[in-house]
Amino acid sequence: MTILKKIKLKVRKIMDKKFYITTPIFYPNSNLHMGHAYVVTICDILARSAKLQGKDVYFLTGSDENTGKILKTVAERNQSVDFYLKELSQNFKDLYASLDISYDQFIQTSDKEKHWPGAVALWNKLVEAGDIYKSKYVGLYCVGCETFYTEKDLIDGKCRIHLTAPEQIEEENYFFKLSKYTEQIKNKIQNGELEIIPTSRKNEILALLERGLEDVSFSRPIKNVPHGIPVPNDPEQVIYVWCDALVNYISALGYGLEDDALFQKFWPADVHVIGKDILRFHSAIWPAMLLSAKLALPKSILVHGMINSGGHKMSKSLGNVLDPKELILKYGKDAVRYYLAREVSTFEDSDMTIEKFKEAYNANLANGLGNLVSRIMKMAEDNLDSPIHIHDSEADISLYFELLNNFEIGKACDYIWLQIGVLDQYIQESQPFKVVKVDKEVGQKMIAGLVTKLYFVAMMLDSILPDSAEKIKTLIKKNKAPETPLFIRKD
Ligand code: ME8
């Protein structure tokens, strides 16, 4: 790519006044675990940060409901699909509320009014482009992944993710001409029009494109997924759940509906945030669908690292699934947000255990941030005559925002905790609490300076720990020390 083009892409990113960010839409086969809490939390941090930088933000999340795998669960529970989905989506929303997730819309793909017209409209576009044809699919299908596999995708004949043997199926399906778009997608990823972050994931998808893409089966017989979206003009078939799920990113904005103002305003997405497990769907199948329908491609795809627990992938059978709700109850929402933002690597896989969580909580929240707030505000309450008035414009936190604009969430947190360390050290070395006793004016100046810097820390924390940031700002406004520490040490 030429330097000029690179600069143009960067300028496009900075100048754009709108910011559209999405999470994956989750399967509603059980409650969300820590991995799901992770992706919604990092999206929330990026959404809040964009808003604080004056962007018009739209933050989408939701659930992927036209999947065959919930049929087993509802049969076991003797419930209807609708009843089950209602209960589960409410659980999702409760978790979001308990983590202060500032989403704008929770899309459910079972929503016949909101989502189905978009899925049908897009399908019709693929047909119009001549990219849908009927053929026989003979092969393997893993219901857990809702994915068609070949023998070479398996380990010992089993799906790598679910460790079960996929079903052998023989079906007459509609296929999508994915192969036709291989070169175009490769070019767009290579020249940065579709940015895949980090580079290791970009290289992984480029290697896949280099080997070439095969056409994919894009529908299933209705008897397998009776609650799926019917294929237009063929009542025997439903749209393959991944085709329907990916469309959520535009149907939520009104694509296919009369009122598509949100679509006109926010598409293309600035960033789809996903885990590496669904990279191929987002950086090969989704761009191909958009190219076929002559729609703009998302600007970037951020592929985050996965959370393992005790060295293993979280799984119910291993009993190592971490429930975010339990940690929120015991430690508070900001403690969980802190851990996910800073202690989990943004791009690499990380291991999470309760022991690690407690250690980080005590060291960096109870001792680090919490202690600093108590120390500074105690000095301020005891020695300042009135609250300090600070204007947001006095702060220079552009470096912090730059890190977040580059999706470096962990580094952005390190930057804040570096400032916390500097303030701690200053108090220790300069001892303003002693100075103020011998020279009131100089001591007061030092304390006012500390309060101002603490305010800047709170401004940065706005996107990461919104609740704590608000508490710190209120204490500063009232010139009061907290009655109880912001984070109480846990043994
Ligand atoms: O794949 N660590 O839904 P899903 C970190 N419905 N993140 C994790 C994680 C872990 N251990 N486990 C899951 C689906 N995630 C489809 C998506 S999108 C059009 C359709 C996160 O419920 C991660 O972001 O299996 C992963 O990509 C996503 O949850 C998968 O959620």
Side-chain angles (χ1 to χ4, degrees):
M1 183 170 35
T2 63
I3 294 189
L4 191 66
K5 190 148 191 188
K6 258 192 190 158
I7 293 170
K8 270 190 190 158
L9 283 173
K10 186 124 191 152
V11 169
R12 182 184 75 170
K13 208 167 148 182
I14 297 166
M15 298 294 287
D16 212 337
K17 288 306 278 177
K18 65 95 183 153
F19 184 73
Y20 178 33
I21 181 165
T22 66
T23 72
I25 50 169
F26 306 113
Y27 287 131
N29 40 319
S30 61
N31 280 334
L32 299 181
H33 60 58
M34 196 58 79
H36 300 112
Y38 174 67
V39 61
V40 289
T41 300
I42 62 170
C43 284
D44 185 61
I45 290 169
L46 297 173
R48 284 176 185 269
S49 147
K51 222 174 266 173
L52 289 166
Q53 292 174 76
K55 298 213 174 181
D56 197 354
V57 173
Y58 203 84
F59 174 10
L60 177 72
T61 184
S63 70
D64 186 356
E65 304 186 334
N66 303 319
T67 153
K69 60 174 106 187
I70 63 171
L71 292 176
K72 202 170 142 241
T73 317
V74 294
E76 281 163 10
R77 291 175 166 220
N78 209 9
Q79 284 175 338
S80 71
V81 170
D82 282 355
F83 183 88
Y84 175 72
L85 289 177
K86 210 166 176 187
E87 186 185 291
L88 218 61
S89 60
Q90 192 52 49
N91 286 350
F92 288 11
K93 288 181 197 166
D94 290 347
L95 174 68
Y96 291 178
S98 66
L99 274 172
D100 271 349
I101 305 299
S102 60
Y103 63 99
D104 292 291
Q105 187 185 154
F106 183 91
I107 178 120
Q108 296 183 253
T109 55
S110 62
D111 189 330
K112 293 193 167 78
E113 280 171 27
K114 181 95 221 203
H115 173 69
W116 288 30
V120 167
L122 193 93
W123 178 276
N124 287 335
K125 286 279 177 207
L126 306 184
V127 173
E128 253 173 55
D131 290 339
I132 295 286
Y133 61 92
K134 216 166 189 183
S135 181
K136 192 169 226 170
Y137 179 81
V138 183
L140 302 163
Y141 190 79
C142 171
V143 185
C145 304
E146 296 284 12
T147 303
F148 299 95
Y149 283 126
T150 60
E151 288 291 347
K152 69 175 186 322
D153 297 319
L154 309 176
I155 296 180
D156 293 335
K158 291 182 179 160
C159 156
R160 289 163 195 256
I161 295 168
H162 294 92
L163 309 178
T164 50
E167 288 170 40
Q168 177 75 36
I169 59 173
E170 187 173 336
E171 294 174 354
E172 177 96 336
N173 289 341
Y174 290 98
F175 277 66
F176 171 55
K177 282 190 193 164
L178 179 61
S179 57
K180 177 173 156 188
Y181 294 99
T182 309
E183 279 309 305
Q184 274 188 67
I185 299 170
K186 199 163 85 186
N187 288 339
K188 288 192 186 284
I189 293 177
Q190 260 162 352
N191 72 19
E193 269 178 70
L194 169 57
E195 206 182 353
I196 312 277
I197 306 149
T199 314
S200 55
R201 299 288 166 217
K202 173 179 171 179
N203 291 339
E204 184 182 320
I205 201 71
L206 283 173
L208 182 95
L209 290 163
E210 201 54 54
R211 291 196 294 275
L213 298 172
E214 285 175 21
D215 293 353
V216 282
S217 171
F218 244 33
S219 72
R220 308 275 336 263
I222 197 159
K223 64 177 179 351
N224 293 339
V225 199
H227 58 291
I229 306 178
V231 167
N233 306 319
D234 189 343
E236 293 303 309
Q237 295 269 317
V238 291
I239 298 177
Y240 171 44
V241 64
W242 265 103
C243 167
D244 130 33
L246 289 161
V247 178
N248 92 86
Y249 299 131
I250 54 176
S251 65
L253 300 181
Y255 176 79
L257 296 178
E258 211 165 292
D259 178 6
D260 68 351
L262 283 175
F263 176 71
Q264 297 302 339
K265 179 170 176 186
F266 286 104
W267 190 256
D270 291 77
V271 58
H272 291 315
V273 184
I274 58 161
K276 62 180 177 187
D277 52 336
I278 53 177
L279 174 62
R280 192 173 65 94
F281 293 101
H282 283 79
S283 44
I285 299 181
W286 180 225
M289 288 164 67
L290 291 166
L291 286 170
S292 172
K294 301 185 178 49
L295 294 173
L297 300 196
K299 291 183 203 162
S300 54
I301 297 176
L302 170 63
V303 191
H304 65 74
M306 303 299 267
I307 302 179
N308 294 326
S309 171
H312 299 281
K313 187 181 176 316
M314 271 185 268
S315 105
K316 273 192 190 158
S317 50
L318 286 176
N320 64 346
V321 177
L322 292 168
D323 183 356
K325 279 196 235 123
E326 282 172 23
L327 285 183
I328 296 168
L329 264 181
K330 183 155 181 209
Y331 293 88
K333 55 188 161 193
D334 274 1
V336 176
R337 288 179 65 106
Y338 165 79
Y339 191 91
L340 297 177
R342 183 160 187 227
E343 308 289 334
V344 173
S345 152
T346 315
F347 305 119
E348 304 294 328
D349 291 357
S350 301
D351 196 60
M352 178 172 182
T353 58
I354 295 295
E355 291 72 34
K356 283 186 191 166
F357 184 89
K358 205 155 92 179
E359 204 181 302
Y361 172 89
N362 282 331
N364 299 319
L365 290 178
N367 289 349
L369 176 63
N371 207 8
L372 182 76
V373 173
S374 296
R375 282 175 95 185
I376 295 181
M377 292 318 296
K378 178 85 179 89
M379 280 190 273
E381 184 178 338
D382 289 350
N383 298 297
L384 298 185
D385 305 323
S386 57
I388 309 266
H389 296 289
I390 309 154
H391 292 291
D392 288 6
S393 57
E394 291 170 43
D396 179 14
I397 50 177
S398 53
L399 188 60
Y400 166 76
F401 280 134
E402 201 178 317
L403 287 168
L404 284 182
N405 292 345
N406 287 317
F407 309 123
E408 294 280 7
I409 297 165
K411 284 193 185 151
C413 293
D414 290 346
Y415 183 74
I416 301 178
W417 263 264
L418 190 77
Q419 318 285 323
I420 291 174
V422 168
L423 294 182
D424 256 337
Q425 200 177 351
Y426 174 80
I427 298 173
Q428 224 157 311
E429 285 169 4
S430 312
Q431 305 198 312
F433 46 92
K434 280 192 186 158
V435 176
V436 77
K437 297 223 159 65
V438 282
D439 187 335
K440 195 169 176 198
E441 201 180 321
V442 172
Q444 279 185 328
K445 236 187 185 155
M446 289 165 88
I447 295 168
L450 279 167
V451 174
T452 307
K453 296 246 168 62
L454 181 65
Y455 186 86
F456 297 160
V457 165
M459 279 177 70
M460 291 189 276
L461 286 174
D462 259 337
S463 38
I464 294 172
L465 310 180
D467 190 42
S468 306
E470 197 48 48
K471 282 184 184 149
I472 298 169
K473 286 183 181 173
T474 307
L475 292 170
I476 293 174
K477 257 185 218 131
K478 293 185 176 160
N479 198 37
K480 283 254 169 272
E483 276 164 23
T484 47
L486 237 51
F487 299 96
I488 296 169
R489 219 191 131 75
K490 308 270 182 200
D491 294 313

